[in-house]
Amino acid sequence: MKKNPTILLFISLFLLTTSVQAQLYFFGRNKIQYDEFDWKLLKTEHFNIYYYGEFEEMAEIGAYYAEEAYKELQIKFDHVVVSTIPLIFYNTHIHFQQTNITPGFIPEGVGGFFEFLKGRVVIPYLGNLEQFRHVIRHELVHVFMTSKVLNNLRDHRVRADHLPPLWFVEGLAEYWSYHWDTQAEMMLRDAVTNEYFFSLSDINRIYGSFLMYKEGQIFLQFISETYGEDKILQFMENFWRFRSFNDVVSFTLGESIETVDDKWIFYVKQKYYPLFAEKKPHHIDSKKLTNFGFNFSPRIHKTDSTTSIIFIGNRTGYTSIFNLPFQPNSKKYAEPKLILRGEKEEIFETFHALKNSIDLFDDQVVFVTKMGGSDVLHLYSLLEDELIKTYNWDELISIESPNFSTDGKRVVFSAIDQKGFSDLYVFEFSSQKLQRITNDYYSDITPIFNKENNKIIFSSDRTGGKFRQKYNLFEYDLEKGNLKYLTYIDANSNQPHYSEDYSKLYFSSDYDGAFNIWELEIKDDQPLGMRQHTRFVTSIFDFDFIDDSTIVTSAFEKSSFQFYSLNLNSIPDSQLASVKFDFHKPPEIWRAKNVKQIAEFDRLKYEKEYTLDYAFSQIIADPVYGARGGAIFSISDLLGNDRYIFFLYNTAEVQSEFLKSFNLSISKINFSKRTNYGFGIFNFYGRRYDIRESDNFFYERSFGGFFSLIYPVSTFQRLEANITFANSDKELSESIIPRQSVLVSNSLSWIFDNTLWGPTGPLDGTRFRFLLGYTSDVKYSNENYYSVIADYRQYFRLSLRSAIAARLSLYANHGKNARRYFGGGSWDIRGWPRWSIRGEKLWVSSLELRFPLIDQLVINFPFFGLGFSSIRGAAFFDAGSAWDDEYEKTLGSIGVGLRINFFNVVTFRYDIGKKIEDDFKRLQPRLFYQFFFGWDF
Amino acid sequence: MKKRFTIFITCLLLASCSKIILLEGIPGNATVFEQFGGSSERNFYYPINVSDSLEFVWDASTIGSYHNASLSAIDRYLFVPTLVGRIYCLDANTGLEIGVEKETGEVPITPVVYRKRFFYLNNISESEKSEVLYYDFLRSNVINRIELDEAVDNEMVKTDEGILIITNGGKLLKINYIGQIDYEVETKTQTFFDPAADSLNIFWANQNGEIISARISDGKLNYRKKISNGFESGAIIENEKAYLGDNDGIIYCINLISGEVVWKFLTDGKIKSVPSLDNKSVYIGNLNGKLYSIDKIKGTLNWGAGSDGLYNTSSLVFNNILIQVNQKNKVEIISKEDGTLLNQIEFRGRVKMTPVYYNDMIYFGVDKGEIHAYKFAE
């Protein structure tokens, strides 16, 4: 997803002065601050911890984890971070996504980040203290590593313009923050056994992926076991010696990088290949039901004649709900039918695909999506094919794992509240009553009702004793209010499911290293132990029963989540592993430590402190106009809510003009509330060229101010209002005609964007912009015109990676001295010289077929392995025209093109085609060739 | 016009050139701080009573920063090694820059001063190699350059016949003052350890946790024993005993002749510095920011004191106080009796170097190439 355009929008506004009808604008989704956070500050010895609302108890626990980690990392790195580290805690991921510290959108899978320009660490709490501790430690490893390496470079006077490669940076953060867990094990098992594990020489091919994190982690584990833990610190201490990190590794270990790589690959294979002796892949030991997309949370739906799987999946880029016919005997994969498309409208803004978030009772589906500033619960009728109702609660922010009672009258789910507590709730549909079941900082998840609906079985990390903080299964008696252990093992157990007849309770557990299915052994209502029913190499994420012995699983294999069906009784009893629980000594409850157990801390109110974001300066020498220079810099507060931008440059051509040629603008933008606003003042003077007016240069002095408001109605649509005042004195060079005006420009825009992007532009969805504006010279009446912009773009998906894109845009200024719009070039009417088509009215229409061309291209000579990915093709037809008073002629073009995306920063475009000339009567005799940059429309 | 321009350019070039290190008039009996710890046994103890306050005298800027090494000195001149491959010569009384010698790489360890020369080690950048350079400060040039095929981060030991070096790969070399390598002895084990020596033997330890002793005369190993999980610190020798700390935070007292462990004491964090001694005690800090005083004979705790920082350099020990560098931008003055913090000086950057007491002044090396000189308050 492309960046939030708000900042760019504001910068473009003041840079273009009276540019309220600026033709170059942004669509984009909206990052909304739904909540106003009352920030507070907790100061400890090494940290300033920012938190808000009722999160105090969790913030104190987080502060303890941070100080604990600091002490350990100080020793590991042999280094102190002398400045106080800002930690910003959000009490849920939904609130975390609203942060202004980073301007972009934060995907679901991001668990926290370290913003190294200002050294800020931003962490969401996800309801689980162990995971909270892990993320805090992970981000602090980044802080220490960055400080250590940059200091090391600076000490040696080596340019501090590079850090170790990302696989090492993230691998180190994982390796020095946490143990090797089930998720890491699952990832590596899958990658190695399915042969998509990458050696060091190829690791950039998985740049930024979760696999890369885990490969980095296991590489450091290998280094520690083979060469010694001290080598890891030495990599950083030797970092100054060589520009290439491979040379640093080679120097530190005393072996060539190829040898190290070979040894590492062997280490990994030696670890994972033996798994096949006792465990099997899913596609071998069960029947694969799907082969495409990502498929989660299967729920079996039966009618008299059919059995199908209702599930949450992503097959087109939008996570949605599907219905898959259950055809275990078919040789082909069944095609799922779309029930409800998500992520295109506000009510189903985001699905949480990786969490359990759907359940079924008869023909009713209950599922969770994000809507606005929190999660909501939807009730949907499969029979009527419509949404029945949507429920939300002010005090609950995140919701997951809904589960119907056996009579369908109630639903139990897990939710995170304003304090950050992850607890269980029961909601009764008829009375609309919400009952809170647990209320503490232990993480309670995946609850289900028993057959009589008087007990809730769930997974929780409240496990005490020697298996402290592991997720075990518990049973809560709704009538008596008792809580008892159902499992007690040194492993994580969750996803309890009763068999169809409710005679047996099954669940998934990572006891053998991956999540497999186990059965709880009970005698006289007492849990005795558990028995293993599956022995897969990689994890089962969720499952449901077709009948008492047949299940459908959502399992991870070959880097995807697919459905499989299997018979739980397929493994003979003699081969099933079994574990007995030891309950004879009741485990004591564990308590989280918090910062009160550390000597010093202070609680303060948050006050804004502004620091520099960036500063650019440049001096250029123009052969015609002489030397010019300027600078732009921005400051903002720690939370990124308030930003000031200063822009200063000088356009003097002779010494005498120096003072009056200062150009200045100062803007303030505020993002702290739902409505973003900005205002500023400017003073510009110098020679200008405005293609909206003529091809002549002219001198202009312009000063004034602007005010803008952006109100996001939802993630997909917003309203923008702008007003600009500008006193403008122009002198046209040739005829030395002065022209004064005091311009007031107003505009109101409505923007909508729910598009899904491919590598070079949108492939699905809709975006449009409608603008009404009015510009008037309030003093001299030199200008006076209305503006209308209507820009509509629709994308029709043909396949996963191809689409037809259509656009119809109309731009009109009407009145006295109206500015012109401009067209022509790679961005609209291709083939025609860029911006050569100008008029007070302009229309553009395009039809373009977008398709993948080359997925990966590597040029070995002479570029030594320079790689390009996602080279895409286009076939297009453009038409349009521009006029002032009378329509002249229609122009057009047809052709084909290539698009190459460079590092998601810029797309290069190359088009070949023919212009349609002479008012659409003939094709240009020769071809045109046009090269430029820019995203597809 | 042309003449003026030429003069201007010449002055500009000359101004940008570094001054050479040319030292004349050094008396034959000049005071010398000749190597890390002042002697081959290493010594950080000064049996005098001093004030618990320090007064600022001067500061000087060099380019680069420092390792946990120290400076060396002769007469009124200091030699400061930096991590950008330079050796600075400063006036010990004023901090004025006398000259600078430049190489490409880093000078991570203390130069050794011998008669009219100083010897320093440069780890060459973009290379696995290093070189030992002999600089004659009366002739102001490098008179000899010996290339080694490994990097060195371990302090050199000066003896009467030459310099002993242990490379990062664990090779022991003796280089005589003419510039010849007398012998090389391989141990084939990574070594990041500052050795110490008495008149007969050199002693060190390595990352495998082995302690090693070898004869200075011919490099023959006396013993090689594994006693720990690994060492990355340094040793101090006194009366046929060696004292050192390991990666698990254990301080050892070793019988230098037999290699037997006399006693050991467990602290709560990794040790990376060389211990300091006085008549009764061993003083050592660890990376957990804890400073310990241990009975030298019995190996029992006298006291332990915590701080908010990290200790990876040696303490300077006086009759009544310790001066300990805390990497968290400060120098601490601590009571020798009970470890109480008596005073501290805060700096703008990390204090990196092992401090040196010389010329009645204490010299500290701080981040970003600053050298600070202090003296005891009256």
Side-chain angles (χ1 to χ4, degrees), chain A residues 361-485:
Chain A
F361 175 76
D362 285 349
D363 291 315
Q364 293 196 331
V365 180
V366 67
F367 64 96
V368 176
T369 68
K370 177 177 177 284
M371 184 175 104
S374 68
D375 281 341
V376 298
L377 204 63
H378 302 284
L379 195 60
Y380 185 90
S381 167
L382 288 173
L383 208 60
E384 307 296 326
D385 193 17
E386 63 178 20
L387 188 69
I388 301 170
K389 198 146 175 163
T390 296
Y391 304 93
N392 71 303
W393 299 270
D394 287 340
E395 66 273 28
L396 302 183
I397 305 167
S398 291
I399 300 174
E400 63 178 82
S401 313
N403 183 266
F404 277 107
S405 57
T406 54
D407 57 10
K409 293 179 181 174
R410 289 180 290 172
V411 65
V412 63
F413 56 85
S414 169
I416 300 178
D417 68 358
Q418 300 283 354
K419 292 199 294 270
F421 287 2
S422 169
D423 289 312
L424 302 181
Y425 298 81
V426 172
F427 178 70
E428 189 173 63
F429 291 106
S430 57
S431 66
Q432 306 272 292
K433 195 173 135 201
L434 183 72
Q435 179 190 1
R436 185 168 192 151
I437 305 300
T438 57
N439 189 357
D440 48 49
Y441 53 55
Y442 304 113
S443 169
D444 303 321
I445 57 172
T446 62
I448 61 169
F449 282 97
N450 67 342
K451 186 177 181 184
E452 294 78 22
N453 297 319
N454 58 1
K455 289 179 184 168
I456 293 174
I457 290 88
F458 64 100
S459 173
S460 176
D461 71 349
R462 61 185 63 234
T463 308
K466 56 184 176 177
F467 306 139
R468 176 195 159 109
Q469 267 183 292
K470 293 288 184 190
Y471 279 89
N472 273 283
L473 293 186
F474 292 80
E475 179 186 87
Y476 181 82
D477 191 315
L478 284 167
E479 289 156 3
K480 297 176 189 166
N482 296 342
L483 189 66
K484 86 173 191 195
Y485 281 87

Side-chain angles (χ1 to χ4, degrees), chain A residues 45-46 74-75 78-80 82 147 151 154-157 230-231 234 240-243 251, chain B residues 65 83-84 106 126-128 190 192 207 232 272 287 308-310 312 327-329 350 352 367:
Chain A
E45 188 180 344
H46 299 106
Q74 166 179 303
I75 296 175
D78 185 12
H79 183 77
V80 289
V82 295
S147 176
N151 269 284
R154 195 193 60 211
D155 286 351
H156 290 83
R157 283 282 172 125
D230 53 284
K231 292 294 176 284
Q234 283 178 37
W240 68 274
R241 291 180 191 271
F242 302 95
R243 192 77 191 174
F251 171 81
Chain B
S65 188
L83 295 178
V84 295
E106 64 163 5
E126 295 286 337
S127 168
E128 297 166 358
Q190 288 251 310
F192 295 96
Q207 288 203 317
E232 286 177 29
K272 285 200 81 173
L287 297 190
D308 62 350
L310 175 162
N312 60 5
Q327 208 193 74
K328 208 165 182 199
N329 294 17
R350 292 178 185 82
K352 291 276 195 67
D367 241 353

Side-chain angles (χ1 to χ4, degrees), chain A residues 810-830:
Chain A
L810 170 69
Y811 308 84
N813 284 340
H814 183 74
K816 184 179 179 186
N817 264 333
R819 298 277 172 105
R820 292 200 178 99
Y821 294 99
F822 46 90
S826 183
W827 292 352
D828 35 67
I829 310 172
R830 284 162 271 207

Side-chain angles (χ1 to χ4, degrees), chain B residues 3 75 77 95 135 184 242 281:
Chain B
K3 193 176 169 186
D75 196 37
Y77 304 106
Y135 189 92
E184 292 181 24
S281 306

